[in-house]
């Protein structure tokens, strides 16, 4: 196997420029400084462009995320040549690839969604159309941005799933740009179907009277989710987005990569990710009931079912930040144990780090980011700064090869074989010891679950995060 037979990200190895934790510390300082400067320029309500309305800012950071995924994972950096990627200075490469992604994002949002879809298909994609029909400027912008954003949210779950879980099948042998265009078009088409059966009814009830001739009103999920809000779908879709990257990074595609049969492995991976996401979604919703009490339909803010579903997605995204940090800047620590043990430790560690990040964010974000104090304030939208930070992670690692703390070198033959090992693992075989470990793990997981659900009511009664 040579480097040209795998994607650019798989063909390179990131090597530390300095020993110890110095590279991670240097990159962390630079990333946080860049985060705050760009946040002030583009997002902060007190800053320059003030896109944090919040939905305009959310739309932008969501579409940036999907464009980064398309460029790096689906198109494998086409139309840029591998020689250019290998030889160009990381700063230049990062700037060029980011600007190309931004230009593509503007073209999609302004050109496709607003000008074409909004003016010739569905009015709520176009702010000017809504304003012309009597909607105030603010709500016209917010409604259009929310609709456009949800397309990106769905695509940011489906697009990487096709690469990670389905392994680009059945087009994995096509060259670029044929493979990239095919997967982008297919996942965009599926995203459109998912959008219309999950979010179109949500958009229809934002207007009075409800647009019952154009959408199902009230939505079909009302009785089950105890709300007519599409936040119910935002919850499991966001969990799906997070679980895809858990599976790709700290889990190293375990355990589904133990399945040798290609079709079965890909099917099990795709629906396994979805099943784990749905389970995570309902657990996080149940956890809120245990901490804050049962939901009350008809109320606003903390007890409202629609906000609780939204907060499921917000809690999930807090898990993705430490997950990517551990993978990108801590060499996916630990690596010295067996694959199942490594995966277990990373999962518990990143979940604990997510709780810490959650607490720190809600205690301090209003002081630094221009958000409002509180959990459920309409101007408190933690998914935006978290995804903004994740986007900067991706620019640094995918586009800039981890500069300045790391540099990219070509992988050896043995290291390229490890790439294949992540797709179909051979280091874990069924033995009596594995069966015993699996039984112990299942028992420990059940005990941990019951311990958590018994501790959460105490947490809600005794611990105050926001004074």
């Amino acid at each position: 196997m040579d480097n040209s037979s795998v994607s650019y990200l798989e063909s390179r190895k990131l090597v530390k420029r300095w020993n110890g934790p110095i590279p991670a510390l240097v990159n962390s300082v630079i990333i946080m400084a860049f985060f705050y400067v760009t946040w002030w320029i583009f997002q902060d309500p007190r800053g320059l462009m003030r896109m944090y309305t919040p939905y305009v800012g959310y739309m932008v950071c969501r579409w940036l995320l999907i464009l980064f995924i398309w460029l790096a994972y689906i198109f494998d950096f086409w139309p840029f040549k591998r020689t250019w990627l290998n030889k160009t200075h990381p700063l230049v490469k990062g700037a060029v690839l980011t600007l190309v992604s931004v230009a593509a994002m503007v073209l999609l949002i302004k050109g496709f969604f607003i000008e074409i879809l909004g003016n010739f298909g569905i009015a709520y994609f176009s702010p000017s159309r809504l304003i012309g029909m009597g909607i105030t400027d603010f709500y016209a912008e917010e409604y259009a941005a929310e609709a456009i954003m949800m397309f990106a949210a769905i695509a940011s779950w489906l697009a990487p799933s096709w690469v990670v879980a389905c392994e680009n099948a059945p087009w994995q042998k096509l060259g670029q740009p044929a493979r990239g265009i095919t997967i982008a078009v297919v996942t965009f088409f599926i995203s459109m179907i998912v959008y219309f059966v999950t979010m179109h009814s949500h958009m229809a009830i934002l207007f009075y009277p409800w647009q019952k001739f154009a959408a199902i009103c009230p939505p079909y999920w009302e009785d089950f989710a105890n709300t007519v809000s599409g936040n119910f779908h935002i919850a499991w879709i966001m969990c799906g987005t997070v679980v895809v990257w858990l599976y790709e990074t700290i889990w190293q595609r375990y355990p589904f990569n133990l399945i040798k049969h290609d079709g079965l492995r890909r099917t099990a991976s795709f629906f396994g990710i979805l099943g784990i996401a749905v389970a995570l979604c309902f657990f996080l919703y149940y956890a809120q009931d245990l901490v804050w009490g049962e939901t009350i339909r008809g109320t606003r803010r903390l007890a409202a079912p629609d906000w609780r579903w939204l907060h499921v997605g917000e809690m999930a995204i807090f898990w993705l930040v430490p997950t990517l940090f551990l993978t990108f800047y801590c060499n996916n620590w630990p690596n010295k144990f067996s694959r199942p043990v490594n995966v277990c430790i990373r999962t518990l560690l990143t979940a604990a780090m997510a709780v810490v990040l959650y607490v720190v964010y809600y205690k301090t974000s209003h002081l630094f980011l221009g958000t409002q104090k509180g959990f459920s304030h309409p101007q408190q939208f933690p998914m935006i700064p978290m995804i903004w930070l994740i986007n900067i992670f991706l620019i640094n690692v995918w586009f800039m090869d981890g500069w300045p703390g790391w540099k990219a070198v070509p992988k050896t033959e043995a290291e390229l074989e490890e790439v294949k090992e992540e797709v179909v693992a051979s280091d874990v075989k069924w033995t009596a010891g594995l069966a015993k470990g699996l039984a112990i793990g299942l028992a420990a997981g059940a005990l941990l679950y019951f311990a958590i659900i018994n501790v959460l009511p105490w947490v809600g009664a005794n611990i105050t995060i926001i004074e």
Side-chain angles (χ1 to χ4, degrees):
M1 181 187 289
D2 59 24
N3 291 63
S4 62
S5 63
V6 296
S7 71
Y8 172 71
L9 296 180
E10 293 172 325
S11 73
R12 54 162 207 183
K13 177 183 178 181
L14 299 185
V15 179
K16 287 183 177 181
R17 293 179 184 270
W18 310 289
N19 294 325
I22 296 175
L25 293 173
V26 169
N27 279 39
S28 296
V29 170
I30 293 173
I31 285 169
M32 292 311 298
F34 188 73
F35 168 84
Y36 198 75
V37 169
T38 54
W39 181 265
W40 176 264
I41 293 172
F42 297 105
Q43 296 279 8
D44 198 311
R46 307 160 300 178
L48 300 180
M49 297 183 69
R50 304 183 182 185
M51 291 191 295
Y52 186 97
T53 58
Y55 274 110
V56 172
Y58 192 18
M59 172 188 67
V60 167
C61 68
R62 262 297 186 179
W63 270 106
L64 270 182
L65 176 62
I66 190 61
L67 261 300
F68 292 164
I69 293 170
W70 280 356
L71 180 59
Y73 258 60
I74 292 181
F75 283 90
D76 190 20
F77 295 97
W78 181 87
F80 299 94
K81 301 291 185 182
R82 188 68 62 92
T83 52
W84 183 84
L85 294 169
N86 288 328
K87 294 179 179 180
T88 306
H89 190 280
L91 275 175
V92 176
K93 188 162 56 175
V96 170
L97 295 174
T98 302
L99 289 173
V100 167
S101 300
V102 170
M105 176 196 71
V106 172
L107 184 64
L108 266 171
I109 292 175
K110 180 67 175 173
F112 176 71
F113 284 103
I114 296 177
E115 296 299 333
I116 297 177
L117 209 54
N119 286 324
F120 299 101
I122 304 173
Y124 62 65
F125 282 106
S126 171
S128 60
R129 283 267 178 183
L130 294 179
I131 292 170
M133 291 186 287
I135 305 294
T136 61
D137 291 14
F138 174 78
Y139 282 107
E141 291 280 355
E142 289 292 277
Y143 291 168
E146 182 179 9
I148 297 169
M149 176 276 298
M150 276 311 303
F151 255 88
I154 296 165
S156 64
W157 155 54
L158 283 171
S161 291
W162 207 281
V163 178
V164 173
C166 302
E167 302 161 18
N168 290 316
W171 307 289
Q172 68 271 30
K173 294 183 181 179
L174 288 178
Q176 295 293 1
R179 185 178 71 223
I181 292 172
T182 303
I183 295 175
V185 169
V186 168
T187 54
F188 195 87
F189 172 71
I190 299 173
S191 297
M192 185 173 294
I193 295 173
V194 175
Y195 173 86
F196 278 111
V197 299
T198 59
M199 291 304 297
H200 182 58
S201 292
H202 168 84
M203 297 304 301
I205 66 172
L206 295 178
F207 307 99
Y208 183 82
W210 288 359
Q211 308 299 293
K212 63 182 180 180
F213 293 107
I216 305 300
C217 300
Y220 61 87
W221 61 82
E222 177 187 14
D223 292 336
F224 178 79
N226 200 29
T227 180
V228 295
S229 172
N231 287 346
F232 165 66
H233 295 292
I234 290 176
W236 67 263
I237 290 169
M238 279 304 307
C239 287
T241 302
V242 171
V243 173
V244 167
W245 293 109
L246 294 177
Y247 179 68
E248 170 73 336
T249 56
I250 61 172
W251 294 350
Q252 295 178 291
R253 304 195 182 186
Y254 179 83
F256 300 115
N257 62 355
L258 300 180
I259 302 171
K260 307 300 182 186
H261 187 276
D262 289 344
L264 183 58
R265 180 182 62 256
R266 292 162 184 165
T267 303
S269 298
F270 184 86
F271 289 103
I273 288 169
L274 181 58
I276 295 169
V278 171
L280 175 64
C281 170
F282 285 108
F283 171 74
L284 294 177
Y285 189 82
Y286 179 43
Q288 294 178 78
D289 282 357
L290 295 174
V291 173
W292 290 318
E294 292 186 10
T295 57
I296 305 171
R297 187 169 180 179
T299 60
R300 302 288 295 171
R301 308 289 291 271
L302 204 66
D306 61 313
W307 181 82
R308 294 274 182 94
W309 288 118
L310 175 66
H311 197 54
V312 166
E314 293 172 343
M315 288 191 286
I317 205 68
F318 280 108
W319 195 2
L320 187 54
V321 173
T323 294
L324 293 181
F325 186 88
L326 187 73
T327 301
F328 290 162
Y329 303 110
C330 303
N331 195 32
N332 224 7
W333 184 90
N335 293 291
K336 66 179 182 178
F337 306 110
S338 67
R339 188 185 296 252
V341 173
N342 288 338
V343 167
C344 180
I345 293 173
R346 292 173 196 150
T347 303
L348 294 174
L349 177 61
T350 53
M353 294 166 66
V355 173
V356 173
L357 180 61
Y358 179 95
V359 173
V360 171
Y361 176 86
Y362 279 107
K363 278 188 170 293
T364 64
S365 67
H366 60 283
L367 302 174
F368 305 106
L369 302 179
T371 61
Q372 294 297 315
K373 188 176 183 179
F375 286 107
S376 57
H377 193 284
Q379 282 293 99
Q380 179 59 278
F381 230 92
M383 281 190 277
I384 303 175
M386 293 301 109
I387 296 175
W388 196 257
L389 179 58
I390 287 168
N391 285 342
I392 295 173
F393 283 174
L394 299 184
I395 292 170
N396 182 239
V397 176
W398 287 358
F399 296 175
M400 299 175 63
D401 302 320
W403 186 89
W406 281 261
K407 62 181 178 180
V409 298
K411 282 183 177 177
T412 63
E413 281 287 333
E415 289 166 338
L416 289 173
E417 287 299 320
E418 292 178 6
V419 174
K420 294 171 62 178
E421 177 70 18
E422 284 212 4
V423 177
V424 185
S426 60
D427 61 333
V428 180
K429 299 183 183 298
W430 185 261
T431 63
L434 181 62
K436 180 181 178 181
L438 182 61
I440 294 173
L442 288 172
L447 288 173
L448 179 62
Y449 170 77
F450 286 110
I452 290 173
I453 64 174
N454 279 281
V455 167
L456 286 176
W458 178 89
V459 170
N462 296 279
I463 296 179
T464 301
I465 295 176
I466 300 175
E467 300 292 340

